[in-house]
Amino acid sequence: MINFVYLISTFFEWNWQRFKSPYVISGLVVMLLGVIILIFSNKIAYHITLKIKDADDKKLANVGLIVKSVAFLVAVIGALLAVLFVS
């Protein structure tokens, strides 16, 4: 069972000792990677759509939505990794 009170209290209890944990460091790196992918998602989707045969605006929109969803998922996984797995 998940203890939400503990999760909320650990989320707001940040100090410099937490940055010694490899989970926090890797979580922040993964979250930063997700944010960078999210920033450049339109350019990435455009280049992916250029590789597709018979590309049109609908395919560009669908690829863009997929790229943005993956980038958001990567950022959320990084944030959860940085917050939840603290030793």
Side-chain angles (χ1 to χ4, degrees):
M1 189 163 135
I2 298 174
N3 187 357
F4 289 107
V5 174
Y6 176 73
L7 289 177
I8 292 171
S9 67
T10 57
F11 180 74
F12 290 109
E13 184 186 310
W14 278 91
N15 55 18
W16 290 106
Q17 298 291 32
R18 289 186 104 166
F19 289 107
K20 291 182 179 179
S21 173
Y23 293 113
V24 173
I25 294 169
S26 62
L28 292 175
V29 169
V30 169
M31 187 174 62
L32 182 65
L33 179 69
V35 169
I36 289 172
I37 292 172
L38 193 61
I39 290 171
F40 294 109
S41 62
N42 289 336
K43 190 174 215 109
I44 294 169
Y46 181 72
H47 285 295
I48 291 172
T49 309
L50 285 178
K51 304 275 183 192
I52 299 173
K53 302 263 185 196
D54 301 326
D56 57 352
D57 289 339
K58 186 176 180 182
K59 286 184 183 176
L60 177 62
N62 290 337
V63 170
L65 186 63
I66 291 170
V67 171
K68 286 181 193 296
S69 300
V70 168
F72 181 72
L73 186 66
V74 168
V76 167
I77 288 172
L80 290 176
L81 186 67
V83 172
L84 295 180
F85 295 107
V86 177
S87 53

